[in-house]
Amino acid sequence: MTSTQDIILLGPPGAGKGTQAFRLATRLGLPHISTGDLFRQNLREQTPVGLMAKGFMDRGLLVPDEVVCEMVRERLELDDASSGSLLDGFPRTIPQAEALEGMLRRLGRRVDCVLFFDAQDATLVERIAGRLTCSGCSAAFHARFAPPKVAGVCDHCGKAGLAVRSDDTEAAVSARLVEYRTKTEPLLSRYTKSGQLRVINAEQPIATVENSLALALESN
Ligand code: AMP
């Protein structure tokens, strides 16, 4: 195993990447870098990147590659990412994957492992339908499968601001699934060929998926 670790969480919207990323990042001591969270944070702060991304996010479309890649490049240069990263929701296109390889190469690193969250469409729709997201720290909850300890209050940061994401509407979710199938799914064959892909059955309950991820990383 290398001293740094760069791990990608790949999968369709609603597969549980965010939920697992929170747990995994703490366990591995890696920063959780979610491009969706970074855009939502930019939007809360009304930055040009956030305002520009909003139009794409609300329609369930991917933000242009150049914008995402620049944001990730800057994020990977921060001190806490010097020992590696847990990338959640990036890369989502082939050009993003190529850009990431270049960024890591320049840092003397490479992608160590790609954990693919495999789940059926019916499961994704069910999970997105009950999803609640913290407006403070972006932690994800589910009204039925992973409710917060106190209704409406985030277990992680304590903020009373759990809400349905503005892009969790039926129209935006269908668009996100189409974007996923056409632009993100091609990454599967790329990472299968490179031997980096580990398939995780994301249909299982949260604790079982957590164990599967740990096993996949141990055998890496
Ligand atoms: P997520 O929180 O990962 O579901 O992302 C929410 C939205 O942010 C997506 O629907 C896109 O509009 C945008 N986004 C997040 N990550 C990316 C990415 N890697 N490439 C393009 N757009 C992204």
Side-chain angles (χ1 to χ4, degrees):
M1 187 176 302
T2 51
S3 53
T4 58
Q5 243 191 329
D6 290 281
I7 299 168
I8 295 174
L9 303 186
L10 180 68
K17 301 185 296 297
T19 302
Q20 295 294 340
F22 248 82
R23 295 156 185 256
L24 207 53
T26 313
R27 208 161 55 75
L28 300 175
L30 293 174
H32 170 206
I33 302 183
S34 153
T35 40
D37 286 353
L38 289 175
F39 282 131
R40 282 183 285 276
Q41 186 189 338
N42 270 282
L43 187 55
R44 280 195 295 276
E45 293 165 4
Q46 300 276 293
T47 69
V49 166
L51 295 172
M52 176 288 174
K54 181 177 165 38
F56 292 94
M57 293 169 82
D58 282 351
R59 285 179 291 150
L61 302 177
L62 292 184
V63 176
D65 289 335
E66 313 75 63
V67 179
V68 189
C69 291
E70 181 55 19
M71 188 174 74
V72 173
R73 197 186 56 72
E74 285 175 10
R75 181 64 187 83
L76 284 176
E77 280 171 5
L78 298 186
D79 281 353
D80 67 339
S82 61
S83 57
S85 60
L86 185 64
L87 294 162
D88 166 10
F90 181 88
R92 258 167 151 114
T93 65
I94 297 278
Q96 290 181 19
E98 290 168 348
L100 175 64
E101 278 157 30
M103 290 175 216
L104 291 178
R105 200 179 311 118
R106 280 189 286 280
L107 294 167
R109 288 153 45 182
R110 64 184 291 275
V111 172
D112 291 283
C113 182
V114 180
L115 298 164
F116 170 54
F117 285 57
D118 193 14
Q120 305 289 318
D121 279 7
T123 308
L124 305 176
V125 170
E126 191 182 34
R127 287 185 184 166
I128 292 176
R131 180 153 75 178
L132 296 167
T133 305
C134 176
S135 59
C137 71
S138 297
F141 296 87
H142 191 281
R144 200 145 56 89
F145 307 127
K149 292 191 184 89
V150 178
V153 178
C154 178
D155 292 354
H156 301 281
C157 73
K159 189 168 179 194
L162 297 190
V164 174
R165 262 169 55 171
S166 63
D167 60 344
D168 277 350
T169 60
E170 209 177 311
V173 170
S174 327
R176 270 151 69 201
L177 282 170
V178 172
E179 289 281 72
Y180 172 76
R181 299 272 174 248
T182 53
K183 298 180 182 160
T184 308
E185 228 168 42
L187 290 174
L188 293 181
S189 62
R190 180 186 184 90
Y191 291 130
T192 302
K193 278 190 206 129
S194 66
Q196 289 158 303
L197 197 81
R198 303 283 174 274
V199 180
I200 305 297
N201 175 3
E203 293 278 334
Q204 309 170 99
I206 294 174
T208 318
V209 174
E210 199 176 351
N211 287 336
S212 305
L213 291 169
L215 285 175
L217 286 170
E218 266 167 34
S219 63
N220 198 48

